[in-house]
Amino acid sequence: MTSPAPAVPPSRSVGGDAGVTAAIDIGGTKIAGGLVRSDGSLAAAARRATPRGVDGDGVMAAVEEVVAELARDEAWARVRRCGIGSAGPVDASRGTVSPVNIGAWRDYPVLARTGAALAAHGARVPTVLVGDGPAMTAAEHWLGAARGHDNALCMVVSTGVGGGLVLNGRLHPGPTGNAGHIGHISVAFDGEPCVCGARGCVEAIASGTSIARWALEQGWRPDAGAAAGADRSAAGVAVAARGGDPVALAAFDRAGRALAAAIAATATLVEVDVAVIGGGVAAAGETLFGPLRAHLSSYATLSFVRGLEVVPAALGTDAGVIGAAAAALELL
């Protein structure tokens, strides 16, 4: 059990004695949990690898282990609510999840099962489920790069591409908890098939997996002089792009253009004034943000979207847990 400091200085605290929020962040590689104070700092944290080769209840067992570990912390007695942020699709109206990257969960009743796990340790508290994109958005709006913005789009560009919206100063998860899922906006009508079943989606072009795949298809290879385990991922492509490799540069230009088109479309539709981008691909820095901003000027052309800012996310590895807590604080 750890008790780290806030990722960034909090911009505000919840008034009065808001107690502690239990938060669960569910992804394809890890299941993380935390007890989050009203200023956004973590009183406790726990983590398990997402199980593979098990059934749905086997995956849930890892969630239950995270809850049990958190329940051993002294702050557990002050838990007043719980937020769950999960890889999607999610269905918040039914409390179920069907994550693309967790094959054992299809329409799995994670909300009810997590509620039962909390109650088994004495915390019968209201619980809310949102997608991981809206959770990240809630975190960045509360403590991160979207602070002070009433209308914001926040994105995670990683193995997949997800997102969420803040509209009129409030998180907008939508009826099922998936609003803002920008990764599945089509930006290439005749583009290659996406895992979602559509064609030309942002995720099929700009995700880390897609960047690396396209670069390899175009003839890029990691440095021939590198060790046998040379990095063939998007991170490896980014290293090559910084070194001037033309195919690697083209891969990130292509990704930046897809992101720019989708961000401009979203801003035109709902008038957001900032786009916050986090996730592993965003760690490429200007290798991604440079072409993205350059292409954005070609797509965000109307007067009310020309001033749209694109900035990197401010929160790090705790963003999912903090976001699940922020969503609970706002929605419950």
Side-chain angles (χ1 to χ4, degrees), residues 296-320:
L296 189 63
S297 64
S298 299
Y299 291 103
T301 57
L302 294 172
S303 60
F304 60 92
V305 292
R306 282 185 200 138
L308 177 64
E309 295 180 74
V310 177
V311 299
L315 301 180
T317 56
D318 292 325

Side-chain angles (χ1 to χ4, degrees), residues 50-190:
T50 303
R52 297 293 179 188
V54 298
D55 62 10
D57 288 345
V59 178
M60 187 65 210
V63 178
E64 292 166 344
E65 288 176 12
V66 166
V67 171
E69 184 173 341
L70 294 175
R72 292 194 287 271
D73 191 89
E74 62 182 7
W76 184 258
R78 298 188 62 238
V79 169
R80 300 291 181 266
R81 67 199 67 77
C82 177
I84 306 167
S86 175
V90 307
D91 188 340
S93 64
R94 297 173 55 225
T96 61
V97 295
S98 303
V100 172
N101 51 9
I102 304 178
W105 275 2
R106 291 295 174 264
D107 294 321
Y108 192 82
V110 70
L111 187 68
R113 290 293 301 270
T114 302
L118 294 164
H121 295 280
R124 297 181 182 275
V125 295
T127 303
V128 67
L129 168 68
V130 296
D132 54 0
M136 174 264 194
T137 300
E140 290 291 334
H141 187 234
W142 184 21
L143 300 174
R147 284 182 297 183
H149 291 270
D150 286 340
N151 299 284
L153 166 68
C154 297
M155 302 175 62
V156 179
V157 185
S158 187
T159 306
V161 177
L165 293 165
V166 171
L167 300 177
N168 297 320
R170 294 189 61 80
L171 182 67
H172 180 75
T176 66
N178 295 287
H181 202 340
I182 192 171
H184 295 288
I185 288 178
S186 178
V187 293
F189 297 143
D190 297 320

